[in-house]
Amino acid sequence: MKTYTFSDGYTIPRVLNGCWQLSLGHSLNGPLDHEDILKAFYELKDKGFTAFDCADIYTGAEEFIGSFIKELKQSGNYEESDLQIHTKYVPDISYLSKVDEAFTRSIIERSLERLNRSYLDVVQFHWWDYETEGMVRTASYLQKLQEEGLIRHVSVTNFDTDHLRILVDAGIRITSCQAQYSFFDRRVEKRLQKYCKENDIPLICYGTLAGGFLAERYLGKKEAEVIPETRSQVKYLQVIEDSLGWDGYQGLLELLKQIADNHGVAISQVATRFILQQEAVAAAVIGVRNSRHVADNDKIFSFELSEAEMNTLRNHIDRSPILPGEPFELERTIGSKYRSIMHMNINEDEQS
Ligand SMILES: NC(=O)c1ccc[n+]([C@@H]2O[C@H](COP(=O)([O-])OP(=O)(O)OC[C@H]3O[C@@H](n4cnc5c(N)ncnc54)[C@H](OP(=O)(O)O)[C@@H]3O)[C@@H](O)[C@H]2O)c1
C-alpha cells in the first residue's frame, strides 16, 4: 500500500516529498530553516519516503537536494537507487520557439549537476503554450536522453487530455502524468483520469493538501483571518474560492475531522488517502518546508477510507462546481487570475 510499481517495474513511495516549497521566494512568512528541512529529509528517507519531486524552475531546490545527496555520499552509506529523483523540464514561455536539442541537453545536464546525480529517475515535461510549435519534438529530445541513460523515465506535468494524447500518438513513452487533484480541483475527473487509466499513465497528484489548508489549524477560521504563508497558499485560496467557497471548505474540514477522529489520524491524512484511493492515482506529492509533519507521514498508510466515508466526502464536494476546463486550462488562459500569479520565465530570466 505504501509503494506504487509502474508497469516497467519502477517503484516509488505513494507519497513524494514536494520541493516547490523550498524555492526562492516561495515562503511569504519569513525565511526557511534549512537545517530543519535537512533533518526532515533524513527522517523521511529513513521512513521510506525516498522520492523527491523537484523542478528546474524551483530556484535553489535542486541544489538543496543535491547538497543532501552530497552529504549522503560522503557518509559512505548511499547508492543512487536509494532515492528516486523526479524533476521537471520547463522551458521558459519566451524561449519556447527557440528550444532545440542542445538547449534541452544543457538543462538536463544542469539538473544532474545541481542534484549530484548521474541519472534522473523521472523528468516531467511541461510546455507553457500549445500554440507554439515544437512540443512533440522537444519531448523526443528527452526520449533521446533517456536512451543515453541520463533519464530513466519521461513524464509530463500540467498537460490536458488532448495534448497528452498527441505525445502518446507520436510515440513518446510517457510514464506518468503530474496534475493538480484535490477536493477543490477535480478537473482531471472530466477526461484526463480516464485517458490515463486506459493508457497506463498513472497520475501523480499535487495540491492534495491545498497548500496546507487541509489541516486542523484552519478549522473554524474566518476567511478574513487567513494570511497566506506561501505562494502555494495564494494559489489555493483562489481555487477554494472558485470551487467549494469558504463555507464549503469549512464544512469539508468538519467532515474530515470527524472521519479523522474515527481513525485516530489527522485531517491531512484523510485528505491524502481520499486522493490515493481515486482511480489511476499512483501517488501524491506533499510539500515539505520543515520537519513538523514528518512523524505523522506513516499514518497515511495506517488506515483506509471505507466506501461510505468516500461517499460522504464525495457528496459534500459534489454540491459545488468543478473548476471550468481541462487541467491547467485556467492557468494557461491569457488574462485569467490563475495565469497572472504564475512565473513563466524562471529558467533563463529569473535564474540567470
Ligand atoms: N507540476 C506542477 O505544476 C506543480 C505545482 C505545484 C506543486 N507541485 C509539486 O507538489 C508539491 C506540493 O505542493 P502544493 O503547492 O500542492 O502543496 P501541498 O502539498 O498541498 O501543501 C504543502 C503544505 O502542507 C503542509 N503540510 C505538509 N505536510 C502536512 C501534514 N502532514 N499535515 C498538515 N499539513 C502538512 C506544509 O505547510 P506547513 O509546514 O506550513 O504546515 C506544506 O507546505 C510541490 O512541492 C511540488 O513538488 C507541482
Side-chain angles (χ1 to χ4, degrees), residues 19 22 29 50 54 63 71 111 121 152 161 208 240 269 289 300:
C19 296
L22 310 185
N29 67 343
T50 51
C54 199
E63 288 91 333
E71 267 196 27
S111 289
D121 292 279
R152 291 274 162 96
T161 316
T208 322
I240 290 171
Q269 285 126 28
R289 60 195 301 259
I300 295 166

Side-chain angles (χ1 to χ4, degrees), residues 18-21 53 157-158 178 207 211 232 236 268 287 289-290 293:
C19 296
W20 180 33
Q21 277 66 17
D53 182 78
T157 181
N158 297 328
Q178 188 174 129
S232 165
Y236 292 115
S268 63
R289 60 195 301 259
N290 50 57
H293 307 293

Side-chain angles (χ1 to χ4, degrees), residues 49-60:
F49 295 95
T50 51
F52 291 79
D53 182 78
C54 199
D56 53 352
I57 59 165
Y58 296 169
T59 305

Side-chain angles (χ1 to χ4, degrees), residues 16 53-54 58 86 88 124 155-159 176-180 192 202-206 285:
L16 280 77
D53 182 78
C54 199
Y58 296 169
H86 296 201
K88 305 187 188 81
Q124 298 157 111
S155 294
V156 292
T157 181
N158 297 328
F159 268 67
S176 60
C177 174
Q178 188 174 129
Q180 185 166 286
L192 186 68
L203 289 164
I204 294 189
C205 306
Y206 65 87
V285 191

Side-chain angles (χ1 to χ4, degrees), residues 153-219:
H153 301 91
V154 175
S155 294
V156 292
T157 181
N158 297 328
F159 268 67
D160 64 20
T161 316
D162 290 339
H163 290 84
L164 176 56
R165 188 195 306 271
I166 289 172
L167 290 185
V168 171
D169 290 352
I172 310 290
R173 296 179 301 277
I174 304 293
T175 295
S176 60
C177 174
Q178 188 174 129
Q180 185 166 286
Y181 189 16
S182 71
F183 290 112
F184 308 106
D185 183 359
R186 297 188 289 140
R187 287 174 289 179
V188 299
E189 292 179 0
K190 294 179 188 172
R191 291 172 64 213
L192 186 68
Q193 189 172 31
K194 183 167 181 284
Y195 179 80
C196 287
K197 186 175 176 218
E198 287 170 358
N199 290 276
D200 187 24
I201 303 174
L203 289 164
I204 294 189
C205 306
Y206 65 87
T208 322
L209 299 185
F213 283 131
L214 290 172
E216 279 72 2
R217 71 188 177 113
Y218 290 100
L219 250 175

